[in-house]
Amino acid sequence: RVREASARPVLGEPGRRLLGDAVRRLSAVRRPLIADLFCGAGGAAMGLSRAGFEVVGFDIAPQPHYPFAFVRQDALTVDLSPFDAVWASPPCQAYSIMRNLPWLRDKEYPRLIAPTRELLDLSGKPWIIENVMGAHLPAGWLCGQMFGRPFYRHRAFETNWFWLQPGHPKHTRVISHGYGLGSRARRI
């Protein structure tokens, strides 16, 4: 005769004690706290949270849909001492190729990477600066294709710690005239 498996495992007193100790230790572990500077709507914050961080966003503009704790403040004035690490995505418009469009050519945009780097260096914390490729950060870069994602969105990343850039697969699609957002691009 076969016994039915219990839905709950039966633990003796030593097992219950070990499990209780493990749960207490895990609940005492604090998630590392990261500042998300120039946070915008929180795209990076969601990834940081999924990676195990407790995220606090800072931006000079209101961000009513930011998914985590948010402080409306100039990112270059944030006290970084309570944080374990810092993520910064300074505005990219000054470094983007889009600034060459005729209707944007004469527009001035702030160049905030250097002052951001200075703030981060002074913090003594591990940090990451993310921006568009035109920012020419002295660092590596990542692309959605490196992670099996179906998009080509190259971004530059500078850190004050060593990291290895994954291999970059060959792009297999191109976007050309008539093939914009919402349509399939032709294979080359």
Side-chain angles (χ1 to χ4, degrees), residues 3-41:
R3 288 187 344 186
E4 288 183 27
S6 171
R8 293 177 142 189
V10 179
L11 295 175
E13 183 56 34
R16 277 194 295 274
R17 204 173 28 239
L18 284 172
L19 181 60
D21 289 346
V23 167
R24 276 189 294 283
R25 279 195 307 274
L26 283 174
S27 63
V29 174
R30 179 180 69 82
R31 290 173 56 162
L33 186 61
I34 191 163
D36 180 11
L37 304 183
F38 309 97
C39 66

Side-chain angles (χ1 to χ4, degrees), residues 119-166:
L119 172 71
L120 300 181
D121 278 340
L122 290 172
S123 77
K125 311 285 181 168
W127 54 261
I128 301 167
I129 295 175
E130 173 272 334
N131 217 286
V132 295
M133 295 299 286
H136 301 293
L137 297 176
W141 55 276
L142 297 174
C143 170
Q145 291 282 292
M146 293 172 163
F147 305 98
R149 305 302 299 161
F151 47 83
Y152 309 138
R153 192 170 181 189
H154 297 162
R155 290 292 180 264
F157 293 85
E158 178 182 353
T159 68
N160 64 341
W161 44 273
F162 180 76
W163 62 284
L164 293 173
Q165 176 180 319

Side-chain angles (χ1 to χ4, degrees), residues 55-144:
V55 184
V56 179
F58 296 88
D59 203 299
I60 201 163
Q63 300 298 332
H65 302 292
Y66 191 77
F68 304 102
F70 172 76
V71 179
R72 185 174 178 193
Q73 180 179 345
D74 182 342
L76 295 176
T77 66
V78 174
D79 173 12
L80 298 174
S81 62
F83 295 94
D84 299 304
V86 185
W87 178 281
S89 300
C92 66
Q93 293 92 338
Y95 312 101
S96 171
I97 60 170
M98 298 300 284
R99 74 181 181 284
N100 295 315
L101 292 171
W103 55 90
L104 297 176
R105 199 172 290 143
D106 297 326
K107 202 161 180 186
E108 291 294 320
Y109 296 103
R111 294 180 173 268
L112 299 178
I113 290 177
T116 300
R117 184 184 298 117
E118 185 178 334
L119 172 71
L120 300 181
D121 278 340
L122 290 172
S123 77
K125 311 285 181 168
W127 54 261
I128 301 167
I129 295 175
E130 173 272 334
N131 217 286
V132 295
M133 295 299 286
H136 301 293
L137 297 176
W141 55 276
L142 297 174
C143 170

